[in-house]
Amino acid sequence: MFEPNEKRVFALGPGVDFPSALIDGLRLRLSDQPPEAMAHVELVVNTTRMARRLQTIFQNGPPGFLPKISVLTELQKRVAHKLPHKVAPLRRRLELEQLVRHLIRQQRDLAPEANAIDLADSLAELLDECQSEGVDPAALAKLDVSDMSGHWQRSLAFIKIAATGTQREDGALDPEAYQRLAVETLSNTWRETPPLHPIILAGSTGSRGSTLALMKAVARLPNGAIVLPGFDFGLSPGFWADMKNALVYEDHPQFRFQAVMTACDVAPSEVTPWVHTRPEAPERNQIVSLALHPAPVTHRWMTDGPRLPDISDAFRKVTLVEAPDARSEASAIALRMRAAKEAGQSVALITPDRMLTRQITSALTRWGLVPDDSAGSPLHLSPPGRLLRHVADSFVAPMTPDRLLAVLKHPLTHVGADRGWHLLFTRELELFLRRTGPPKVDLAILNSFVDKMDADGLSAWVDWLAATFLRDQLNERQPQDWLRQLVHAAEQAVAGSTGHVSDELWARNSGEQAKAVVKTLQDNAGFGGPLGAFDFARLIQFLLSRESVRDRDAPDPDLMIWGTMEARVQGAELLILGGLNEGAWPEVTQADPWLNRALRHQAGLLLPERRTGLAAHDFQQAIAAKEVWLTRAKRNDDADTVPSRWINRLTNLMSGLPVRNGPTALRDMRARGDTWCAWSAALDD
């Protein structure tokens, strides 16, 4: 399948449909072998979505054998019998939360105690990264902080305590440590008895240390190979050599490939195209590649810019929408998606901005269109998630009228028998509270309401309301005690004053997801320490917000909404890149409260700009599609926005190249976007 002297590090360029090209290259390399040779090939991909797309392409193609398709994380199962067991991520977070809370109580100037959960989460991410990158957390205490403030010295000392304090007597490992050990064990097994069948690891950029170690092991197999996505074959050898400086190039879209090539002992010129599939817009790729050069080397625009192809031709199918506000941006995108639907064109919106996707989904409902949103909806915004949060908030402080009315009007509250009477009583209570205006709702207020309104069943309803939502300030309790009270109160809220037993709280996809979160917390609550009501409410909010749920039925297969990761493995005729503002895409670089940038670099950890570099790689791949929309809002709810750095660089490069028709191309892109904004505004009028 491979040539004897091949390095077996392959790649596909931006704008190439990666799954389709991967299969085309596989069939081409097996064209002179018997049909059953395909069944011996093993494809290892980075996501389940990639695996599903590959299976779909094979099923829609000519009859034949299928390769074995697996996901990176599934490789753990092959050596699971040699590894200790793995603990749940929540257990480790609860353990760290206790340590962080104790630290804050000892050093009050470190942070407010209310931030203990957030600090524990960031500490867990740091320890995960140490384990993934093969950095001993205990060794961090030896970093040189002589010229830094005392805060970082305290931080390093506590990281060492946290790393040793979470070691378990039974040898159980955290998820990232388990993954790293699984990769090392599998690599050693392959080194002793290498598999003879072809193993191809495809679609990963090697952004995490454990994944990079696995890619290195696969590349060394007798019939192993890796296929990189979105590799820029046009970069010069000198640029690749300069890219070894992480402090300058970490946010470049191709930076992660430098580490992959170094690990596999391959020069950039030795990376071979997996298949010679022509990108949709190769001239545009050249322009975007130059535009995305990091700021310290943008002087190359002066020398390389005049040698670019004609920009006007390259961007003829690119539209730049600069809407006045977020609502106008969503309306214009929805109108374009509707037009694509009518023309029989598949369209995908790509954005990390979930608020924008919800606005677009809402705008599409005016035409009865339901997009296929791959990310679904956040669980904490679903009906069960909101009810659980409302009940948890009732533990924190005295119930105010607005909070009480919000939970009483919730669609799951009193969902059983006599809900009509419940809504009637709720309306009358709202009118009473608006007339009297009490700062909080207590039994005295409710008794006054009962005296004012004489109705059958009102006393029982008020008793149920008070027992479910009104309570005195609660002291610290163990997490399992809080959870038991939360579930009881939430189920009592659903049952209503008649005591009608209902399973609506845990029904449908959202209810099942919420029940799974509750079950996970129940299984691991014993590893946490006492929590106050506020901290428990924050914990519930945190756990629910990390999950998503898909409750939509029969979405339109031609109208898709993807996150940036899904866009790497899918194909559509029109791609809309939405929310291209700083802080949204790319997201704001989060400051690490435990290690600053210099200490992370000194320790060999990833710099904060890594996420920006990965987002830039996603942008570079998406803008290489056949037809592209780039959209942003000039203003959000608070203030004027700043265009995404990639939009800024691209427009600045185009504006400075009149010899390549750059200003003309930019003017045409904006004119096309202004036309659609005008149409959407006229439709709203």
Side-chain angles (χ1 to χ4, degrees), residues 2 42 44 78 190 195 197-201 218 221 223-226:
F2 303 111
E42 181 177 358
V44 182
R78 304 184 184 183
W190 281 348
H197 66 279
I199 298 180
I200 302 171
L201 196 157
V218 170
L221 293 175
N223 282 306
I226 61 176

Side-chain angles (χ1 to χ4, degrees), residues 12-17 229-235 252-254 277-293 308-311 313-316 318 575 616-628 650 653:
L12 289 167
V16 177
D17 187 341
F231 185 84
D232 192 347
F233 289 97
L235 293 179
H252 191 271
Q254 302 291 311
T277 300
R278 177 181 170 82
E280 293 288 354
E283 295 82 7
R284 193 192 308 153
N285 288 350
Q286 297 180 44
I287 300 167
V288 173
S289 176
L290 181 60
L292 294 183
H293 278 23
L308 291 174
D310 185 85
I311 299 177
D313 290 338
F315 281 80
R316 195 172 302 279
V318 178
L575 292 185
H617 185 252
D618 296 334
F619 175 82
Q620 186 179 26
Q621 287 185 280
I623 198 175
K626 183 177 181 179
E627 183 178 358
V628 180
L650 187 60
L653 176 63

